[in-house]
Amino acid sequence: MPPKSIQKPCGQPSPQLYQPPPEEANHPVVKWLYNTQQNTPPSNSTLKRNCQELGNTRRPTVNKAKRCRYNLRERAVLGEASGNRQAMPSKEDPTKQSRLATRPKSPDESPERSADEALDPSTPRASRAVGPQTAIKQSPVKRPTRGRPPKLRYHVDTVESSSHDQPNLLENRPILLPTKSKASFSTKQSDKSDSISQKTTSSGQSGNSTSPSRTTSPSRYLVDKLATATPPVTYSNWLKLLEEKKPEKVKGLKQLLTAGIGAGIIPACLKDRLEKLDPERAAEIPANAYDESWNPGEGRAEVLLETMDTISIFAMNCSDRGKDENAWCQKVVLPLMEAALSPARSAFFDIISIQTQSIDTSFAPILPNGLVVNKRADYAWAFSDNHPEIAQYYETLQEKGIDLSQMADGGTRQLALSCAVEVKKDGNELTAKAQLALWLSAGLRQRNQLLKIAIETLKVANQKQRNKNKEKAKKAEADGDEPLIGWTVNGHYWSFYLAWLVDKAKESTKIAGPIITLNTQSHYDVFQLRAMLKRIEKYGRERYWVWLENEILKPLKENEVVWPVAEDG
């Protein structure tokens, strides 16, 4: 209930609340105000009738009744219910004075209106005179003649005192007022929802991961969906794949990479040091793991052991603390690959990060629903442009406008890539396989296109030796192309795969593996991984580069390039 008097900030009592004059005492609204001030709340039926006269034709709930009572009580204290409705702007506030002066008025509004007309609820609110302290925001009320009456919505407005005679305890007090219309309310709600959706979209683009430029990893079921894509990309377990379906070059490469992988991988001079670092696991290292003939020198052996020990420690730390794939890349994967490759001056390969680089969409598979699947890997091995033998091919083919890789990046597409790696933290092996499959399939398709261009170029350049070129093409077809190598890193475990084209016409890709799975859980395991990467480097330098140079790079460099005509359909 409202107090009988309101104290000013200085402590002096304010004037008594509004007392209705005799000519207005019979008005129902004034009666209710008078009963409220006398601490005699009206009955429920009286409250319902008075609220109906104020514009709410439905039975008010308790909260709405309090709102009506609170609203009318504030207006009564400010003198809004009195007969004098003329605005009294403050002389010290010109902004309020100008705002009140520019208030829109109804055409039928007259200063000689009586108190009964001003308080008559049947009179539209827009045509009533408004006091200087309130800003009532409501369109004219249209009472329905039949059916359920519309529900009034309320918004919060503030009361600003414009006269020094009023108690300033009521300044900036919230008052619930009906909104203009249902349409305006829905417009505000739609604007609010639009702003929320925009924030959600922008936050989804900038904060989906620690790397803002990385995209979300594909679904775990994408591996199965790729088998129905155009062209199809299928995974097969190496042990379940029939021997007759494995090309000879694929079987030979698997034998080259995995045979005797744990033998002769540690210098014998490091045996005592390993036993001091980890006596329990050093006892499990087989005797043939130490190479007596390998004597890199005391200084180089210490650096090698320190590097392997650091990688092993960081791998355990990333696994125990559940760190993300970025930590695995920077602390484990990249240092281990750098330790396996030759020094930078004589390096045949460069490790390039392709985490933010997409595959060219012309080499990406298309699902049956028309969706182009384009995802990214983490690292790739590129034939180094710092090597003099390789750089000469890059310069010439760049001038001829020939791209050597499947990447869309302007710099990377000019490099020949041999293998790639996709890194995930624990538990995302299927997702890593899908991303690696997309990279390998695109690489094989792009290399197949280069091979077709090279064959057409040789045919035109050597018309006299056409029969010889045909025999050479048949021999190359019988031998098959060199497969591509890729591997996934899923926490501690490294799984290696081989990929090749099953049908060159349809460009369907087969990926088999894992041919071997290694890990980083001990010093011996880290040395095994280093030996595996060393073998991959040796294969790329001695076999893959020789095939690529003879079949593709040299024909395109030494002859005028002839682009094959696209087949119809």
Side-chain angles (χ1 to χ4, degrees):
M1 303 302 295
K4 294 185 179 181
S5 64
I6 299 178
Q7 298 293 331
K8 289 186 176 182
C10 61
Q12 299 178 359
S14 62
Q16 294 295 325
L17 296 179
Y18 168 72
Q19 298 293 335
E23 60 272 12
E24 299 178 7
N26 294 328
H27 195 277
V29 177
V30 177
K31 285 184 178 180
W32 186 37
L33 287 172
Y34 183 79
N35 293 334
T36 304
Q37 296 179 59
Q38 298 298 327
N39 296 331
T40 55
S43 62
N44 193 26
S45 59
T46 305
L47 180 61
K48 177 181 177 182
R49 182 174 64 256
N50 293 336
C51 287
Q52 288 175 350
E53 293 174 351
L54 289 177
N56 188 359
T57 57
R58 299 177 58 187
R59 175 179 173 84
T61 59
V62 177
N63 292 334
K64 288 184 178 179
K66 291 181 179 179
R67 290 174 184 173
C68 294
R69 184 181 303 173
Y70 172 71
N71 196 354
L72 292 174
R73 183 171 69 250
E74 296 290 349
R75 289 164 59 185
V77 172
L78 294 174
E80 185 177 332
S82 63
N84 185 9
R85 293 284 174 166
Q86 299 298 327
M88 295 180 295
S90 175
K91 297 180 180 180
E92 298 180 2
D93 194 350
T95 59
K96 296 180 181 179
Q97 184 175 0
S98 59
R99 184 171 67 251
L100 292 172
T102 57
R103 179 179 58 83
K105 296 183 179 181
S106 177
D108 57 348
E109 186 174 353
S110 174
E112 289 82 18
R113 293 168 60 86
S114 63
D116 292 344
E117 293 176 349
L119 293 176
D120 189 2
S122 62
T123 305
R125 295 289 295 269
S127 62
R128 301 184 199 175
V130 182
Q133 288 81 19
T134 57
I136 301 177
K137 303 178 180 180
Q138 185 188 14
S139 59
V141 178
K142 297 181 180 180
R143 296 182 180 276
T145 57
R146 58 187 299 180
R148 188 173 183 178
K151 181 180 179 180
L152 286 178
R153 299 181 183 273
Y154 294 87
H155 70 277
V156 177
D157 201 350
T158 57
V159 178
E160 297 177 356
S161 176
S162 60
S163 176
H164 296 286
D165 298 334
Q166 304 298 337
N168 42 1
L169 285 177
L170 298 175
E171 289 185 7
N172 301 325
R173 292 284 294 274
I175 291 182
L176 296 174
L177 300 175
T179 57
K180 292 184 178 181
S181 63
K182 186 176 181 180
S184 63
F185 178 81
S186 61
T187 304
K188 292 181 180 179
Q189 290 287 52
S190 61
D191 296 341
K192 184 178 179 181
S193 61
D194 292 342
S195 62
I196 293 175
S197 63
Q198 292 176 0
K199 292 181 180 179
T200 306
T201 306
S202 61
S203 64
Q205 293 177 353
S206 62
N208 57 356
S209 65
T210 56
S211 300
S213 56
R214 294 293 303 266
T215 58
T216 307
S217 298
S219 169
R220 58 178 297 181
Y221 302 106
L222 184 57
V223 176
D224 299 332
K225 293 180 181 179
L226 288 176
T228 61
T230 304
V233 182
T234 57
Y235 261 102
S236 296
N237 189 289
W238 180 265
L239 299 177
K240 296 181 180 180
L241 187 63
L242 298 177
E243 290 295 327
E244 57 269 16
K245 292 186 178 181
K246 301 175 183 177
E248 292 298 326
K249 285 191 174 182
V250 174
K251 291 189 289 185
L253 179 57
K254 190 263 181 185
Q255 183 70 15
L256 175 67
L257 297 178
T258 60
I261 189 63
I265 60 176
I266 305 175
C269 59
L270 296 178
K271 183 176 181 180
D272 296 338
R273 291 291 310 276
L274 287 173
E275 292 177 352
K276 292 181 181 180
L277 289 175
D278 193 352
E280 183 178 353
R281 294 192 176 183
E284 300 176 356
I285 300 177
N288 63 347
Y290 297 100
D291 188 1
E292 297 291 342
S293 61
W294 185 10
N295 188 13
E298 185 176 354
R300 296 181 61 183
E302 290 293 333
V303 172
L304 177 61
L305 179 60
E306 183 179 356
T307 302
M308 298 296 103
D309 182 54
T310 303
I311 293 173
S312 178
I313 291 174
F314 277 125
M316 296 298 296
N317 181 267
C318 290
S319 178
D320 294 341
R321 296 183 179 272
K323 294 188 177 181
D324 59 0
E325 65 181 72
N326 186 49
W328 283 97
C329 289
Q330 298 297 326
K331 298 296 185 180
V332 180
V333 179
L334 186 59
L336 188 51
M337 292 191 298
E338 291 176 345
L341 298 180
S342 303
R345 290 184 178 273
S346 60
F348 214 78
F349 289 99
D350 285 337
I351 302 174
I352 58 175
S353 174
I354 54 175
Q355 295 174 337
T356 60
Q357 300 179 17
S358 301
I359 298 172
D360 192 341
T361 54
S362 59
F363 303 115
I366 304 176
L367 296 180
N369 58 2
L371 177 64
V372 178
V373 186
N374 191 349
K375 296 298 178 180
R376 304 167 182 175
D378 287 302
Y379 295 103
W381 287 18
F383 291 99
S384 176
D385 54 355
N386 295 322
H387 197 282
E389 183 183 352
I390 303 172
Q392 60 177 342
Y393 289 104
Y394 286 164
E395 294 176 2
T396 305
L397 296 181
Q398 182 179 357
E399 294 175 357
K400 295 183 178 182
I402 298 177
D403 297 330
L404 298 177
S405 77
Q406 70 272 33
M407 307 306 294
D409 182 76
T412 309
R413 70 192 309 167
Q414 300 172 3
L415 306 177
L417 308 180
S418 63
C419 53
V421 55
E422 172 60 29
V423 183
K424 295 292 180 185
K425 61 180 183 179
D426 298 338
N428 293 320
E429 177 64 21
L430 291 177
T431 304
K433 287 174 60 177
Q435 293 180 248
L436 181 64
L438 293 172
W439 191 93
L440 292 174
S441 173
L444 290 172
R445 293 182 62 190
Q446 192 272 346
R447 194 184 68 179
N448 189 45
Q449 296 293 333
L450 290 177
L451 192 59
K452 291 180 181 179
I453 297 174
I455 292 175
E456 292 294 329
T457 300
L458 283 177
K459 286 181 180 180
V460 176
N462 303 320
Q463 291 291 338
K464 296 181 181 180
Q465 301 179 358
R466 190 167 184 177
N467 294 332
K468 184 178 179 180
N469 291 334
K470 285 184 178 181
E471 294 177 0
K472 184 179 179 180
K474 289 181 180 179
K475 184 178 182 300
E477 185 71 21
D479 295 341
D481 301 336
E482 291 291 337
L484 287 181
I485 305 174
W487 60 94
T488 62
V489 179
N490 184 24
H492 279 297
Y493 298 96
W494 297 45
S495 301
F496 295 83
Y497 299 86
L498 302 180
W500 67 93
L501 286 180
V502 178
D503 188 350
K504 286 189 176 182
K506 298 180 179 179
E507 294 185 335
S508 57
T509 304
K510 172 69 72 175
I511 302 175
I515 58 174
I516 189 173
T517 300
L518 304 174
N519 62 79
T520 57
Q521 293 181 334
S522 66
H523 295 93
Y524 175 62
D525 297 327
V526 175
F527 273 103
Q528 277 189 310
L529 271 173
R530 179 181 177 273
M532 182 68 177
L533 298 177
K534 278 284 187 182
R535 295 187 179 191
I536 294 176
E537 182 200 21
K538 183 179 179 180
Y539 161 76
R541 183 178 63 252
E542 297 180 357
R543 284 182 49 179
Y544 187 80
W545 170 255
V546 173
W547 176 87
L548 186 68
E549 182 182 23
N550 294 332
E551 299 295 332
I552 297 177
L553 299 181
K554 189 175 291 186
L556 296 179
K557 175 180 178 293
E558 296 177 352
N559 304 286
E560 184 179 357
V561 178
V562 177
W563 303 91
V565 180
E567 299 178 0
D568 297 336

